[in-house]
Amino acid sequence: MAGSGDKKLVTKLVMAGDSNVGKTCIVSRYTENTIPSYISTVGIDFKTKTIQIDDTELKLQIWDTAGQERFHTLSVSYFRGAQGFVLVYDITNPNSFENTSLWMKDIKMKAGEEVEVVLLGNKCDMEDKREVSKERGEKLAWEHGIPFFETSAKENINIENAFFILSEAIYAKRSSLLIDRSVVNLQESKKNPSCLACR
Ligand code: GTP
């Protein structure tokens, strides 16, 4: 727990990537240590998790977007004002890997060139169905200059690491972060996505 003199900051993170790659499961694993039974995301929701870095309590506001094409415009509209992205593909689905380049373009267009991104090759527990090698993931991440992890929301592999690396990178540029204005504001921003607290 942070002491009374500690700083409190809040940051907006957004999950991006094709439908069915495991974005919702990754968020649930990280924030609640469970994975839900399958329900495709149809709108936008966020969960929060607070971590401590140095003398700062950093509240991560993690927005889970829908990957389905029909929700693309809505999902991408939430990219604006985010400080970090978790860009996910599924190692058993080469299309989802190829599409990360398109997602990356959307991210840069809406959130700027300097935004922090971590690339995740999810479902690494499904080695027998693998269609995207780890080397391809590493190469793509290297080309974009971003960190890369193979993860499993199911087996809880590298989920915590991925969010921590992303959070640390954002924290290093902390002048852009909002001072935490309490959970009430978070609830308000959930009801009203144009609210300043989520920008
Ligand atoms: P959209 O909401 O449509 O954008 O999908 P999503 O990316 O949020 O995917 P979701 O988390 O709903 O997971 C899709 C399916 O993949 C579900 O059946 C999950 O149980 C499964 N899944 C997610 N993560 C993993 C994982 O790490 N390993 C395995 N084996 N299955 C996973």
Side-chain angles (χ1 to χ4, degrees), residues 120-172:
L120 306 188
N122 192 41
K123 307 195 188 180
C124 71
D125 56 284
M126 296 176 79
E127 194 55 50
D128 53 331
K129 298 216 167 63
R130 177 190 286 274
E131 293 205 30
V132 183
S133 69
K134 190 173 182 183
E135 291 67 32
R136 285 183 76 194
E138 285 169 342
K139 183 166 178 284
L140 183 70
W142 184 80
E143 283 165 6
H144 288 297
I146 61 178
F148 168 70
F149 295 91
E150 284 201 338
T151 57
S152 167
K154 188 178 172 197
E155 305 285 341
N156 199 7
I157 298 168
N158 273 338
I159 304 292
E160 192 102 13
N161 284 344
F163 278 97
F164 190 73
I165 290 288
L166 181 63
S167 305
E168 266 196 325
I170 293 168
Y171 176 73

Side-chain angles (χ1 to χ4, degrees), residues 94-199:
N95 271 343
S96 73
F97 177 74
E98 276 136 32
N99 285 340
T100 54
S101 296
L102 299 176
W103 286 109
M104 201 68 184
K105 277 192 190 135
D106 287 330
I107 289 170
K108 300 253 160 138
M109 197 170 68
K110 295 283 180 185
E113 288 291 325
E114 299 307 316
V115 73
E116 298 296 332
V117 184
V118 62
L119 179 68
L120 306 188
N122 192 41
K123 307 195 188 180
C124 71
D125 56 284
M126 296 176 79
E127 194 55 50
D128 53 331
K129 298 216 167 63
R130 177 190 286 274
E131 293 205 30
V132 183
S133 69
K134 190 173 182 183
E135 291 67 32
R136 285 183 76 194
E138 285 169 342
K139 183 166 178 284
L140 183 70
W142 184 80
E143 283 165 6
H144 288 297
I146 61 178
F148 168 70
F149 295 91
E150 284 201 338
T151 57
S152 167
K154 188 178 172 197
E155 305 285 341
N156 199 7
I157 298 168
N158 273 338
I159 304 292
E160 192 102 13
N161 284 344
F163 278 97
F164 190 73
I165 290 288
L166 181 63
S167 305
E168 266 196 325
I170 293 168
Y171 176 73
K173 300 195 298 197
R174 57 193 165 280
S175 58
S176 67
L177 300 185
L178 293 170
I179 293 166
D180 186 3
R181 287 181 285 150
S182 90
V183 175
V184 177
N185 272 350
L186 289 176
Q187 293 305 337
E188 202 49 49
S189 66
K190 206 168 185 175
K191 279 185 261 163
N192 174 12
S194 64
C195 162
L196 277 179
C198 56
R199 288 180 182 275

Side-chain angles (χ1 to χ4, degrees), residues 17-26 35-42 64-68 90 122-126 151-155:
D18 278 8
S19 183
N20 214 36
V21 296
K23 298 181 296 299
T24 302
C25 289
I26 288 169
I35 57 168
S37 48
Y38 180 65
I39 307 168
S40 192
T41 309
V42 291
D64 183 20
T65 63
Q68 281 181 56
D90 171 354
N122 192 41
K123 307 195 188 180
C124 71
D125 56 284
M126 296 176 79
T151 57
S152 167
K154 188 178 172 197
E155 305 285 341

Side-chain angles (χ1 to χ4, degrees), residues 5-61:
D6 291 353
K7 299 180 203 85
K8 293 185 179 187
L9 297 172
V10 59
T11 185
K12 176 180 172 182
L13 308 183
V14 179
M15 305 299 295
D18 278 8
S19 183
N20 214 36
V21 296
K23 298 181 296 299
T24 302
C25 289
I26 288 169
V27 176
S28 296
R29 174 60 75 195
Y30 184 56
T31 59
E32 292 159 7
N33 202 19
T34 59
I35 57 168
S37 48
Y38 180 65
I39 307 168
S40 192
T41 309
V42 291
I44 302 283
D45 195 13
F46 73 77
K47 298 220 168 110
T48 61
K49 175 149 171 155
T50 302
I51 61 167
Q52 182 85 19
I53 305 182
D54 297 336
D55 63 347
T56 300
E57 229 182 55
L58 184 60
K59 184 179 281 178
L60 312 177
Q61 195 182 102

